[in-house]
Structure formats: C-alpha cells, structure tokens
Amino acid sequence: MDTHLKMIDFDFEKLRPIGLTQVVVNSLGAMQDTTPPGSRLMRIVETQRDWFTLHDGDAEHRARIAQRLVNVLQMQDSTVTVGDWAVVTEGGADDLWIAALLAPVTQIARRANDGRRQSLASNVDTALLTMGLDDDFNPRRVERYIAMVRAGDVAPVVVLTKSDIARDAQERIAMLRERLPASVPIVAVNGMSEHARTELMPWLHQGQTLVLLGSSGAGKSTLTNTLTGAFTQDTGGVRRGDGRGMHTTTARSMHLCPQGACIIDTPGLRTWRPDADGAALAAAFDDIETLARQCQFRDCRHQGEPGCAVQQHIAPDRLMNFRKLMRDAERSEQTPLERIAIRKKWKSLHKAGAVRARDKRR
C-alpha cells in the first residue's frame, strides 16, 4: 500500500527489501514542509562523478544532484554516498534531481590525506571485513578496520577468503581467533563456492545492508558475485611476487541478494585514516581497556611500568597497533593551528638537540 507523508511518496513494503526501516521513515517528518509535491524516496546504489543511480524498489533511475544540496553538503564537509536515502524530485524533460538527503542512521567514513571527510557507505548494518589468507593476511589491518566500523555503530564480521588455496590457512585462522575479541565473528570461506553463501547466511536476511571492505585482491568482488548469484562485478587476480591485488572495482555500488540483503561493494582501500575520536576507536580494543583498570598505576601508559596488567596479557604487536590508532585519532582531532604548533614545537626541540650535539663534539 502506498504511504503518503504530506509531500513525500513512498511504499514501505516495496522499499523494505532495499533496506528501508522505520527509523529512516521517522526522519522523513522533518523534511515534509520543505519538499515540493510529488517528491519520491529512493536509495542511492551507485555514485559517479556527475550522475547517481538510485533504486525505488522496482527499478533503477539516473539522477543528478541539485546545486542547492551541493552547497549544503560542502558546508557540512559531507558527500553523497552509496546507501544514502534521497528525496528525489522531477525536473523538466522528466529529469530526476536529488533534492535532499536523509541523515544516515549509520555511516562509515575516513579522512583523506588533505583532511577532508570521505563517506564510504551509509545506513549499513554489517561490515564484511574481507582479508585473504594468502599474502594479503595482515592482522594489524583488520584490527584497524574493526575499530573504525565499530566507531560508526556498524557490526564487524571478519571474512577470510581463499581458504581453499592458502598455505597455513588453519594456523592463521587460529591465530586471528586468539588475537581478536571474541565478540567479532570470524568466517573462513572460498569466495567462489556456494558454501560461502551458507556460511554468511546469518547476515543476509531481508532488509539488511552489508558493505564489503578490504584491500585490492582480497576477493570482495568475487564474494559479491557469489552472494548475489550473478556476475555483477568484474574480478581480477593478484600480482606475482607481492600478492597485492589489482583494482577491478572502481566505484562503490550496491547489489541485491536472493535472500533479501543488500551488499555494497567498494574499491580496495589503500589507506584508512580514522574519522572518529579516540574513545570510539578504543572501544574495539575493549580487552586492553578492561586490563588497564588492573594496572598498578592509574596513569599507566603500558610502556614498561611495573605492575602493568596490559603488557602481561596483550601481544606486543596488538598493543603497538592500538597505540598507532590512538595517535592517528589524536591527529585527526587536531585543528590546523594545533598541528602547526606541534610541528613548531618538534622543530624547536630538534634544533636544540642538534646544537647540544654540536657543542659536545667541540
């Protein structure tokens, strides 16, 4: 049955299979007086430079973004991304325009090298953190992924691919289970096998939205094809010698699974600077936070102090990764003026040290 919320038309049952929830519907109320008659609710399933592909529950449509919304997003340091819910209006010659975006319930984002915020996916329930059991295997990287998606209120699931061909696969799986928090599911699959769909079935229910995150060559596109039951994404191999992947996915896009879930495939991530404060990121290392309360000293930095419970129980590599993530978060929270002041401070200290060393030599 069609639902009419003053100015915005939508069919809840038709949109529910592509992720519409009552929480999203409730947020429409704030937009009802600012939207022209005949506006429609659609979900963004692919982004290009100037055009966007949206789904209305029946079919896909192409649309452009209204300049007024572009200005608003620039002021908010935000962008349009796959998974967003959009209010769409019709212009002349049946052109469609994105007039407004609903505030995302959840969002995964990162900071670019120049400090700009870059959204990766919106309104996501679960992140499938994909990592190969071959040369792509990197426990530190997956720990950082877990911290960052949890900071965005998204549930992480570690998906280890190439379990059928990787050497030492069982040892690596066991090591990761011991290292990661017990609350994070770990699933090892052959991405080309139908069995992968069975293993991931608990997260493929109707209305669920998942995003695949991982490095190039980890098997994200292969897994997308298996879970959707169709050849929707091009796939490629890895380079000989270093096992690094070759980009096959060049844009984020959303696909539908036969079980009813939506899957967002993303290009391989080379870097992922955190877009969250230290407290949110530290929640992913809850074992360290819990043990820190048992340290002998309240201000223990876990760097050789006597009676440090953290160093007694946490692997040095995991602790080093935790410290690096906290430093990244601290830098992300600094204003440009604070970063300049810190650079000046270290430059001054370095200069003073060079002077002392020169005086000693004399």
Side-chain angles (χ1 to χ4, degrees):
M1 181 179 67
D2 285 336
T3 304
H4 185 64
L5 187 61
K6 287 193 176 179
M7 298 296 184
I8 304 172
D9 290 314
F10 65 96
D11 186 323
F12 186 86
E13 291 305 317
K14 190 182 293 183
L15 294 172
R16 191 164 66 93
I18 60 171
L20 185 64
T21 64
Q22 190 58 49
V23 176
V24 176
V25 172
N26 293 343
S27 66
L28 282 171
M31 312 178 80
Q32 58 186 335
D33 296 325
T34 60
T35 307
S39 299
R40 299 160 61 189
L41 182 64
M42 299 186 191
R43 195 170 194 191
I44 296 174
V45 297
E46 188 171 359
T47 61
Q48 298 295 340
R49 183 182 297 273
D50 299 315
W51 288 89
F52 300 87
T53 304
L54 300 96
H55 207 296
D56 65 0
D58 283 328
E60 293 183 350
H61 305 271
R62 297 248 295 169
R64 286 179 287 180
I65 185 169
Q67 185 59 47
R68 183 182 61 81
L69 179 56
V70 172
N71 298 337
V72 171
L73 293 175
Q74 287 176 344
M75 287 177 19
Q76 296 174 346
D77 191 21
S78 184
T79 55
V80 181
T81 193
V82 173
D84 278 331
W85 286 98
V87 176
V88 180
T89 61
E90 195 170 297
D94 295 330
D95 289 338
L96 294 180
W97 294 87
I98 300 172
L101 294 178
L102 277 65
V105 179
T106 63
Q107 189 171 75
I108 300 174
R110 66 175 174 179
R111 290 284 170 180
N113 290 332
D114 60 3
R116 288 181 300 107
R117 186 175 186 273
Q118 181 184 21
S119 302
L120 300 177
S122 290
N123 300 302
V124 173
D125 300 294
T126 304
L128 301 182
L129 307 178
T130 310
M131 181 172 69
L133 284 163
D134 53 3
D135 292 336
D136 182 55
F137 188 76
N138 187 327
R140 281 192 189 183
R141 189 201 310 134
V142 81
E143 282 178 337
R144 292 172 67 83
Y145 284 9
I146 290 170
M148 291 174 186
V149 301
R150 276 186 164 177
D153 292 327
V154 175
V157 175
V158 176
V159 181
L160 301 174
T161 60
K162 307 177 185 179
S163 61
D164 55 319
I165 60 172
R167 294 173 298 172
D168 304 323
Q170 294 307 314
E171 289 82 353
R172 288 181 167 183
I173 294 169
M175 184 268 282
L176 207 58
R177 290 189 190 279
E178 182 178 351
R179 176 166 174 156
L180 297 183
S183 58
V184 178
I186 301 175
V187 182
V189 301
N190 168 8
M192 303 180 69
S193 168
E194 290 297 318
H195 188 61
R197 190 185 299 173
T198 303
E199 290 291 315
L200 294 171
M201 193 65 71
W203 299 280
L204 298 178
H205 299 307
Q206 186 181 64
Q208 292 291 298
T209 299
L210 302 89
V211 62
L212 285 160
L213 297 170
S215 61
S216 299
K220 299 186 300 299
S221 296
T222 299
L223 193 58
T224 297
N225 290 338
T226 299
L227 296 179
T228 58
F231 189 79
T232 57
Q233 294 292 79
D234 290 336
T235 58
V238 296
R239 297 201 301 252
R240 291 183 179 179
D242 62 5
R244 299 189 68 175
M246 297 177 288
H247 284 292
T248 52
T249 300
T250 56
R252 297 172 188 87
S253 54
M254 193 168 77
H255 312 274
L256 304 182
C257 293
Q259 293 76 18
C262 309
I263 295 184
I264 299 173
D265 191 11
T266 64
L269 294 173
R270 292 186 180 90
T271 59
W272 193 354
R273 287 177 57 192
D275 180 53
D277 59 32
L281 293 171
F285 293 81
D286 49 4
D287 52 343
I288 293 177
E289 294 291 292
T290 300
L291 286 167
R293 302 188 193 107
Q294 303 172 25
C295 289
Q296 182 175 341
F297 300 104
R298 183 172 295 180
D299 59 349
C300 182
R301 296 174 58 85
H302 324 307
Q303 294 180 344
E305 295 91 340
C308 176
V310 171
Q311 287 189 297
Q312 290 176 17
H313 297 91
I314 300 298
D317 190 58
R318 178 169 168 78
L319 185 56
M320 185 186 303
N321 201 22
F322 170 74
R323 292 192 187 114
K324 185 177 187 302
L325 192 62
M326 292 301 103
R327 287 197 300 271
D328 288 347
E330 185 178 346
R331 281 195 291 268
S332 295
E333 293 171 17
Q334 291 169 350
T335 66
L337 288 177
E338 288 173 334
R339 284 194 288 270
I340 292 171
I342 290 173
R343 281 199 298 270
K344 285 183 177 178
K345 172 186 173 183
W346 283 107
K347 186 180 289 187
S348 175
L349 290 172
H350 179 74
K351 188 175 181 180
V355 170
R356 286 196 298 271
R358 196 163 53 244
D359 290 344
K360 274 188 178 180
R361 288 195 297 271
R362 289 173 181 171

CSV table of all heavy atoms in Angstrom, one decimal, residues 134-185:
chain,number,residue,atom,x,y,z
A,134,ASP,N,46.1,-15.5,2.0
A,134,ASP,CA,47.4,-15.6,1.3
A,134,ASP,C,48.3,-14.5,1.7
A,134,ASP,O,48.4,-14.1,2.9
A,134,ASP,CB,47.1,-15.6,-0.2
A,134,ASP,CG,46.3,-14.4,-0.7
A,134,ASP,OD1,46.0,-13.5,0.2
A,134,ASP,OD2,46.0,-14.3,-1.9
A,135,ASP,N,49.0,-13.8,0.8
A,135,ASP,CA,49.9,-12.7,1.2
A,135,ASP,C,49.1,-11.5,1.6
A,135,ASP,O,49.8,-10.5,2.1
A,135,ASP,CB,50.8,-12.4,0.0
A,135,ASP,CG,51.8,-13.5,-0.3
A,135,ASP,OD1,52.1,-14.3,0.6
A,135,ASP,OD2,52.3,-13.6,-1.5
A,136,ASP,N,47.8,-11.4,1.5
A,136,ASP,CA,47.0,-10.3,1.9
A,136,ASP,C,46.8,-10.3,3.4
A,136,ASP,O,46.4,-9.3,4.0
A,136,ASP,CB,45.7,-10.3,1.2
A,136,ASP,CG,44.8,-9.2,1.6
A,136,ASP,OD1,45.2,-8.0,1.4
A,136,ASP,OD2,43.6,-9.4,2.0
A,137,PHE,N,47.1,-11.4,4.1
A,137,PHE,CA,46.9,-11.6,5.5
A,137,PHE,C,47.6,-10.6,6.3
A,137,PHE,O,48.9,-10.5,6.3
A,137,PHE,CB,47.3,-13.0,5.9
A,137,PHE,CG,46.8,-13.4,7.3
A,137,PHE,CD1,45.5,-13.7,7.6
A,137,PHE,CD2,47.8,-13.4,8.4
A,137,PHE,CE1,45.1,-14.0,8.9
A,137,PHE,CE2,47.4,-13.7,9.6
A,137,PHE,CZ,46.1,-14.0,9.9
A,138,ASN,N,46.9,-9.8,7.1
A,138,ASN,CA,47.5,-8.7,7.9
A,138,ASN,C,46.6,-8.4,9.1
A,138,ASN,O,45.7,-7.7,9.1
A,138,ASN,CB,47.6,-7.4,7.1
A,138,ASN,CG,48.4,-6.3,7.7
A,138,ASN,OD1,48.4,-6.2,9.0
A,138,ASN,ND2,49.1,-5.6,7.0
A,139,PRO,N,46.9,-9.1,10.3
A,139,PRO,CA,46.1,-8.9,11.5
A,139,PRO,C,46.0,-7.4,11.9
A,139,PRO,O,44.9,-7.0,12.4
A,139,PRO,CB,46.8,-9.7,12.5
A,139,PRO,CG,47.6,-10.8,11.7
A,139,PRO,CD,48.0,-10.1,10.5
A,140,ARG,N,47.1,-6.7,11.8
A,140,ARG,CA,47.0,-5.3,12.2
A,140,ARG,C,45.9,-4.5,11.4
A,140,ARG,O,45.2,-3.7,12.0
A,140,ARG,CB,48.4,-4.6,12.0
A,140,ARG,CG,49.4,-4.9,13.0
A,140,ARG,CD,50.5,-3.9,12.9
A,140,ARG,NE,51.7,-4.2,13.7
A,140,ARG,CZ,52.8,-3.5,13.8
A,140,ARG,NH1,52.9,-2.4,13.0
A,140,ARG,NH2,53.8,-3.9,14.6
A,141,ARG,N,45.9,-4.8,10.1
A,141,ARG,CA,44.9,-4.0,9.3
A,141,ARG,C,43.5,-4.4,9.7
A,141,ARG,O,42.7,-3.5,9.8
A,141,ARG,CB,45.2,-4.4,7.8
A,141,ARG,CG,44.3,-3.5,6.9
A,141,ARG,CD,44.1,-4.1,5.5
A,141,ARG,NE,45.4,-4.6,4.9
A,141,ARG,CZ,45.6,-5.8,4.4
A,141,ARG,NH1,44.6,-6.6,4.3
A,141,ARG,NH2,46.8,-6.1,3.9
A,142,VAL,N,43.2,-5.6,9.9
A,142,VAL,CA,41.9,-6.0,10.2
A,142,VAL,C,41.5,-5.5,11.6
A,142,VAL,O,40.3,-5.1,11.8
A,142,VAL,CB,41.7,-7.5,10.1
A,142,VAL,CG1,42.1,-8.3,11.4
A,142,VAL,CG2,40.2,-7.9,9.9
A,143,GLU,N,42.4,-5.3,12.5
A,143,GLU,CA,42.1,-4.7,13.8
A,143,GLU,C,41.7,-3.2,13.6
A,143,GLU,O,40.8,-2.8,14.3
A,143,GLU,CB,43.3,-4.8,14.7
A,143,GLU,CG,43.5,-6.1,15.4
A,143,GLU,CD,44.8,-6.2,16.2
A,143,GLU,OE1,45.7,-5.4,16.0
A,143,GLU,OE2,44.9,-7.0,17.1
A,144,ARG,N,42.4,-2.5,12.7
A,144,ARG,CA,42.0,-1.1,12.5
A,144,ARG,C,40.7,-1.1,11.8
A,144,ARG,O,39.9,-0.2,12.1
A,144,ARG,CB,43.1,-0.5,11.6
A,144,ARG,CG,44.5,-0.3,12.3
A,144,ARG,CD,45.5,0.1,11.3
A,144,ARG,NE,45.3,1.5,10.8
A,144,ARG,CZ,45.7,2.6,11.5
A,144,ARG,NH1,46.2,2.5,12.6
A,144,ARG,NH2,45.4,3.8,10.9
A,145,TYR,N,40.4,-2.0,10.9
A,145,TYR,CA,39.1,-2.0,10.3
A,145,TYR,C,38.0,-2.2,11.3
A,145,TYR,O,36.9,-1.5,11.3
A,145,TYR,CB,39.0,-3.1,9.2
A,145,TYR,CG,39.7,-2.8,7.9
A,145,TYR,CD1,40.5,-1.7,7.7
A,145,TYR,CD2,39.5,-3.7,6.8
A,145,TYR,CE1,41.2,-1.5,6.5
A,145,TYR,CE2,40.2,-3.5,5.6
A,145,TYR,CZ,41.0,-2.4,5.5
A,145,TYR,OH,41.6,-2.1,4.3
A,146,ILE,N,38.2,-3.1,12.2
A,146,ILE,CA,37.2,-3.4,13.3
A,146,ILE,C,36.9,-2.1,14.1
A,146,ILE,O,35.8,-1.8,14.4
A,146,ILE,CB,37.6,-4.5,14.2
A,146,ILE,CG1,37.6,-5.9,13.4
A,146,ILE,CG2,36.8,-4.6,15.4
A,146,ILE,CD1,38.3,-7.0,14.1
A,147,ALA,N,38.0,-1.5,14.5
A,147,ALA,CA,37.9,-0.3,15.3
A,147,ALA,C,37.1,0.8,14.6
A,147,ALA,O,36.2,1.5,15.2
A,147,ALA,CB,39.3,0.3,15.7
A,148,MET,N,37.3,1.0,13.3
A,148,MET,CA,36.7,2.1,12.5
A,148,MET,C,35.3,1.8,12.2
A,148,MET,O,34.4,2.7,12.3
A,148,MET,CB,37.5,2.3,11.3
A,148,MET,CG,38.9,2.9,11.6
A,148,MET,SD,40.0,3.1,10.2
A,148,MET,CE,41.5,3.6,10.9
A,149,VAL,N,34.9,0.6,11.9
A,149,VAL,CA,33.5,0.3,11.6
A,149,VAL,C,32.7,0.3,12.9
A,149,VAL,O,31.5,0.8,13.0
A,149,VAL,CB,33.3,-1.0,10.9
A,149,VAL,CG1,34.0,-1.0,9.5
A,149,VAL,CG2,33.6,-2.2,11.7
A,150,ARG,N,33.3,-0.1,14.0
A,150,ARG,CA,32.5,-0.1,15.3
A,150,ARG,C,32.3,1.4,15.7
A,150,ARG,O,31.3,1.7,16.3
A,150,ARG,CB,33.3,-0.8,16.4
A,150,ARG,CG,33.1,-2.3,16.4
A,150,ARG,CD,33.7,-3.0,17.6
A,150,ARG,NE,33.2,-4.3,17.9
A,150,ARG,CZ,33.7,-5.1,18.8
A,150,ARG,NH1,34.7,-4.7,19.6
A,150,ARG,NH2,33.2,-6.3,19.0
A,151,ALA,N,33.3,2.2,15.4
A,151,ALA,CA,33.1,3.7,15.7
A,151,ALA,C,32.0,4.3,15.0
A,151,ALA,O,31.4,5.3,15.4
A,151,ALA,CB,34.4,4.4,15.4
A,152,GLY,N,31.6,3.7,13.8
A,152,GLY,CA,30.4,4.1,13.1
A,152,GLY,C,29.1,3.4,13.4
A,152,GLY,O,28.2,3.4,12.7
A,153,ASP,N,29.2,2.6,14.6
A,153,ASP,CA,28.0,1.9,15.0
A,153,ASP,C,27.6,0.8,14.0
A,153,ASP,O,26.4,0.4,13.9
A,153,ASP,CB,26.8,2.8,15.3
A,153,ASP,CG,27.0,3.7,16.5
A,153,ASP,OD1,27.7,3.2,17.4
A,153,ASP,OD2,26.5,4.8,16.5
A,154,VAL,N,28.6,0.2,13.3
A,154,VAL,CA,28.3,-0.9,12.4
A,154,VAL,C,29.0,-2.1,12.9
A,154,VAL,O,30.1,-2.1,13.4
A,154,VAL,CB,28.9,-0.5,11.0
A,154,VAL,CG1,28.8,-1.7,10.0
A,154,VAL,CG2,28.2,0.7,10.4
A,155,ALA,N,28.3,-3.3,12.8
A,155,ALA,CA,28.8,-4.5,13.4
A,155,ALA,C,29.8,-5.1,12.4
A,155,ALA,O,29.5,-5.3,11.2
A,155,ALA,CB,27.6,-5.5,13.6
A,156,PRO,N,31.0,-5.5,12.9
A,156,PRO,CA,32.0,-6.1,12.0
A,156,PRO,C,31.9,-7.7,12.0
A,156,PRO,O,31.6,-8.3,13.0
A,156,PRO,CB,33.3,-5.7,12.7
A,156,PRO,CG,33.0,-5.7,14.2
A,156,PRO,CD,31.6,-5.3,14.3
A,157,VAL,N,32.2,-8.2,10.8
A,157,VAL,CA,32.3,-9.7,10.6
A,157,VAL,C,33.6,-9.8,9.8
A,157,VAL,O,33.7,-9.3,8.7
A,157,VAL,CB,31.1,-10.3,9.9
A,157,VAL,CG1,31.4,-11.8,9.6
A,157,VAL,CG2,29.9,-10.1,10.7
A,158,VAL,N,34.6,-10.6,10.3
A,158,VAL,CA,35.8,-10.8,9.5
A,158,VAL,C,35.6,-12.0,8.6
A,158,VAL,O,35.2,-13.1,9.0
A,158,VAL,CB,37.0,-11.1,10.5
A,158,VAL,CG1,38.3,-11.4,9.7
A,158,VAL,CG2,37.2,-9.9,11.4
A,159,VAL,N,35.8,-11.7,7.3
A,159,VAL,CA,35.6,-12.8,6.3
A,159,VAL,C,37.0,-13.1,5.7
A,159,VAL,O,37.6,-12.3,5.0
A,159,VAL,CB,34.6,-12.4,5.2
A,159,VAL,CG1,34.5,-13.5,4.2
A,159,VAL,CG2,33.3,-12.0,5.8
A,160,LEU,N,37.5,-14.3,6.0
A,160,LEU,CA,38.8,-14.7,5.5
A,160,LEU,C,38.6,-15.5,4.2
A,160,LEU,O,38.0,-16.6,4.2
A,160,LEU,CB,39.6,-15.5,6.5
A,160,LEU,CG,39.8,-14.8,7.9
A,160,LEU,CD1,40.4,-15.8,8.9
A,160,LEU,CD2,40.7,-13.6,7.7
A,161,THR,N,39.1,-15.0,3.1
A,161,THR,CA,38.9,-15.6,1.8
A,161,THR,C,40.1,-16.5,1.4
A,161,THR,O,41.1,-16.4,2.1
A,161,THR,CB,38.7,-14.6,0.7
A,161,THR,OG1,39.8,-13.7,0.6
A,161,THR,CG2,37.4,-13.7,1.0
A,162,LYS,N,39.9,-17.2,0.3
A,162,LYS,CA,41.0,-18.1,-0.3
A,162,LYS,C,41.4,-19.2,0.7
A,162,LYS,O,42.6,-19.6,0.7
A,162,LYS,CB,42.2,-17.2,-0.7
A,162,LYS,CG,41.8,-16.1,-1.6
A,162,LYS,CD,42.9,-15.2,-2.0
A,162,LYS,CE,42.4,-14.0,-2.8
A,162,LYS,NZ,43.5,-13.1,-3.2
A,163,SER,N,40.4,-19.6,1.5
A,163,SER,CA,40.8,-20.7,2.5
A,163,SER,C,41.1,-22.0,1.8
A,163,SER,O,41.7,-22.9,2.4
A,163,SER,CB,39.6,-20.9,3.4
A,163,SER,OG,38.4,-21.3,2.7
A,164,ASP,N,40.7,-22.1,0.5
A,164,ASP,CA,41.0,-23.4,-0.2
A,164,ASP,C,42.4,-23.5,-0.8
A,164,ASP,O,42.8,-24.6,-1.1
A,164,ASP,CB,39.9,-23.5,-1.3
A,164,ASP,CG,39.9,-22.3,-2.2
A,164,ASP,OD1,40.0,-21.2,-1.7
A,164,ASP,OD2,39.8,-22.5,-3.5
A,165,ILE,N,43.0,-22.3,-1.0
A,165,ILE,CA,44.3,-22.3,-1.6
A,165,ILE,C,45.5,-21.8,-0.8
A,165,ILE,O,46.6,-22.0,-1.1
A,165,ILE,CB,44.3,-21.5,-2.9
A,165,ILE,CG1,43.9,-20.1,-2.6
A,165,ILE,CG2,43.3,-22.1,-3.9
A,165,ILE,CD1,44.0,-19.1,-3.8
A,166,ALA,N,45.2,-21.2,0.3
A,166,ALA,CA,46.2,-20.5,1.1
A,166,ALA,C,47.0,-21.6,1.9
A,166,ALA,O,46.4,-22.5,2.5
A,166,ALA,CB,45.6,-19.5,2.0
A,167,ARG,N,48.3,-21.4,2.0
A,167,ARG,CA,49.1,-22.3,2.9
A,167,ARG,C,49.0,-21.8,4.3
A,167,ARG,O,48.7,-20.6,4.6
A,167,ARG,CB,50.6,-22.2,2.4
A,167,ARG,CG,50.9,-22.8,1.1
A,167,ARG,CD,52.3,-22.5,0.7
A,167,ARG,NE,52.6,-21.1,0.6
A,167,ARG,CZ,53.8,-20.6,0.4
A,167,ARG,NH1,54.8,-21.3,0.3
A,167,ARG,NH2,53.9,-19.2,0.3
A,168,ASP,N,49.1,-22.7,5.2
A,168,ASP,CA,49.0,-22.3,6.7
A,168,ASP,C,47.7,-21.6,7.0
A,168,ASP,O,47.6,-20.8,8.0
A,168,ASP,CB,50.2,-21.4,7.1
A,168,ASP,CG,51.5,-22.0,6.8
A,168,ASP,OD1,51.6,-23.3,6.9
A,168,ASP,OD2,52.4,-21.3,6.4
A,169,ALA,N,46.6,-22.0,6.3
A,169,ALA,CA,45.3,-21.3,6.5
A,169,ALA,C,44.8,-21.5,7.9
A,169,ALA,O,44.4,-20.6,8.6
A,169,ALA,CB,44.3,-21.7,5.5
A,170,GLN,N,44.9,-22.8,8.3
A,170,GLN,CA,44.3,-23.1,9.7
A,170,GLN,C,45.1,-22.5,10.8
A,170,GLN,O,44.5,-22.0,11.8
A,170,GLN,CB,44.3,-24.7,9.9
A,170,GLN,CG,43.3,-25.4,8.9
A,170,GLN,CD,41.9,-24.8,9.0
A,170,GLN,OE1,41.4,-24.6,10.0
A,170,GLN,NE2,41.3,-24.6,7.8
A,171,GLU,N,46.4,-22.4,10.6
A,171,GLU,CA,47.2,-21.7,11.7
A,171,GLU,C,46.9,-20.2,11.7
A,171,GLU,O,46.8,-19.6,12.8
A,171,GLU,CB,48.7,-21.9,11.4
A,171,GLU,CG,49.2,-23.3,11.6
A,171,GLU,CD,48.9,-24.2,10.4
A,171,GLU,OE1,48.2,-23.8,9.4
A,171,GLU,OE2,49.4,-25.4,10.4
A,172,ARG,N,46.7,-19.6,10.6
A,172,ARG,CA,46.4,-18.2,10.6
A,172,ARG,C,45.0,-17.9,11.1
A,172,ARG,O,44.8,-16.9,11.8
A,172,ARG,CB,46.5,-17.7,9.1
A,172,ARG,CG,47.9,-17.6,8.7
A,172,ARG,CD,48.1,-17.0,7.2
A,172,ARG,NE,49.5,-16.7,7.0
A,172,ARG,CZ,49.9,-16.1,5.8
A,172,ARG,NH1,49.0,-15.9,4.9
A,172,ARG,NH2,51.2,-15.8,5.7
A,173,ILE,N,44.0,-18.8,10.8
A,173,ILE,CA,42.7,-18.6,11.4
A,173,ILE,C,42.7,-18.7,12.9
A,173,ILE,O,42.1,-17.9,13.6
A,173,ILE,CB,41.7,-19.7,10.8
A,173,ILE,CG1,41.6,-19.4,9.3
A,173,ILE,CG2,40.4,-19.6,11.5
A,173,ILE,CD1,40.8,-20.5,8.5
A,174,ALA,N,43.5,-19.7,13.4
A,174,ALA,CA,43.5,-19.9,14.9
A,174,ALA,C,44.2,-18.8,15.5
A,174,ALA,O,43.8,-18.3,16.6
A,174,ALA,CB,44.3,-21.2,15.1
A,175,MET,N,45.3,-18.2,14.9
A,175,MET,CA,46.0,-17.1,15.5
A,175,MET,C,45.1,-15.8,15.5
A,175,MET,O,45.1,-15.1,16.5
A,175,MET,CB,47.2,-16.7,14.6
A,175,MET,CG,48.1,-15.6,15.2
A,175,MET,SD,47.6,-14.0,14.5
A,175,MET,CE,48.4,-14.1,12.9
A,176,LEU,N,44.3,-15.6,14.5
A,176,LEU,CA,43.4,-14.5,14.5
A,176,LEU,C,42.3,-14.6,15.5
A,176,LEU,O,41.9,-13.7,16.2
A,176,LEU,CB,42.8,-14.3,13.1
A,176,LEU,CG,42.4,-12.9,12.7
A,176,LEU,CD1,43.5,-12.0,12.8
A,176,LEU,CD2,41.7,-12.9,11.3
A,177,ARG,N,41.7,-15.9,15.7
A,177,ARG,CA,40.7,-16.1,16.7
A,177,ARG,C,41.2,-15.8,18.1
A,177,ARG,O,40.5,-15.3,19.0
A,177,ARG,CB,40.2,-17.5,16.6
A,177,ARG,CG,39.4,-17.8,15.4
A,177,ARG,CD,38.7,-19.2,15.5
A,177,ARG,NE,38.1,-19.6,14.3
A,177,ARG,CZ,36.9,-19.2,13.8
A,177,ARG,NH1,36.2,-18.4,14.6
A,177,ARG,NH2,36.5,-19.6,12.7
A,178,GLU,N,42.5,-16.1,18.3
A,178,GLU,CA,43.1,-15.9,19.7
A,178,GLU,C,43.3,-14.4,19.9
A,178,GLU,O,43.2,-13.9,21.0
A,178,GLU,CB,44.4,-16.6,19.8
A,178,GLU,CG,45.1,-16.5,21.1
A,178,GLU,CD,46.3,-17.3,21.2
A,178,GLU,OE1,46.6,-18.1,20.3
A,178,GLU,OE2,47.1,-17.2,22.2
A,179,ARG,N,43.6,-13.7,18.8
A,179,ARG,CA,44.0,-12.3,18.9
A,179,ARG,C,42.9,-11.3,19.0
A,179,ARG,O,42.9,-10.3,19.7
A,179,ARG,CB,44.9,-11.9,17.7
A,179,ARG,CG,45.3,-10.4,17.6
A,179,ARG,CD,46.5,-10.3,16.6
A,179,ARG,NE,46.8,-8.9,16.4
A,179,ARG,CZ,48.0,-8.4,16.0
A,179,ARG,NH1,48.9,-9.3,15.7
A,179,ARG,NH2,48.2,-7.1,15.9
A,180,LEU,N,41.8,-11.6,18.2
A,180,LEU,CA,40.7,-10.6,18.1
A,180,LEU,C,39.7,-10.9,19.3
A,180,LEU,O,39.6,-12.0,19.8
A,180,LEU,CB,40.0,-10.8,16.8
A,180,LEU,CG,40.8,-10.5,15.5
A,180,LEU,CD1,39.9,-10.6,14.3
A,180,LEU,CD2,41.4,-9.1,15.6
A,181,PRO,N,38.9,-9.8,19.6
A,181,PRO,CA,37.9,-10.0,20.6
A,181,PRO,C,36.9,-11.1,20.3
A,181,PRO,O,36.5,-11.3,19.1
A,181,PRO,CB,37.2,-8.6,20.7
A,181,PRO,CG,38.1,-7.7,20.1
A,181,PRO,CD,38.9,-8.5,19.1
A,182,ALA,N,36.4,-11.9,21.2
A,182,ALA,CA,35.5,-13.0,21.0
A,182,ALA,C,34.2,-12.5,20.4
A,182,ALA,O,33.4,-13.3,19.8
A,182,ALA,CB,35.3,-13.8,22.3
A,183,SER,N,33.8,-11.2,20.6
A,183,SER,CA,32.6,-10.7,20.1
A,183,SER,C,32.6,-10.5,18.6
A,183,SER,O,31.5,-10.2,18.0
A,183,SER,CB,32.3,-9.4,20.8
A,183,SER,OG,33.3,-8.4,20.6
A,184,VAL,N,33.7,-10.6,17.9
A,184,VAL,CA,33.8,-10.4,16.5
A,184,VAL,C,33.8,-11.7,15.8
A,184,VAL,O,34.7,-12.6,15.9
A,184,VAL,CB,35.1,-9.6,16.1
A,184,VAL,CG1,35.2,-9.5,14.6
A,184,VAL,CG2,35.2,-8.3,16.8
A,185,PRO,N,32.7,-12.0,15.0
A,185,PRO,CA,32.7,-13.3,14.3
A,185,PRO,C,33.8,-13.4,13.2
A,185,PRO,O,34.1,-12.4,12.6
A,185,PRO,CB,31.3,-13.3,13.6
A,185,PRO,CG,30.5,-12.2,14.3
A,185,PRO,CD,31.5,-11.2,14.8
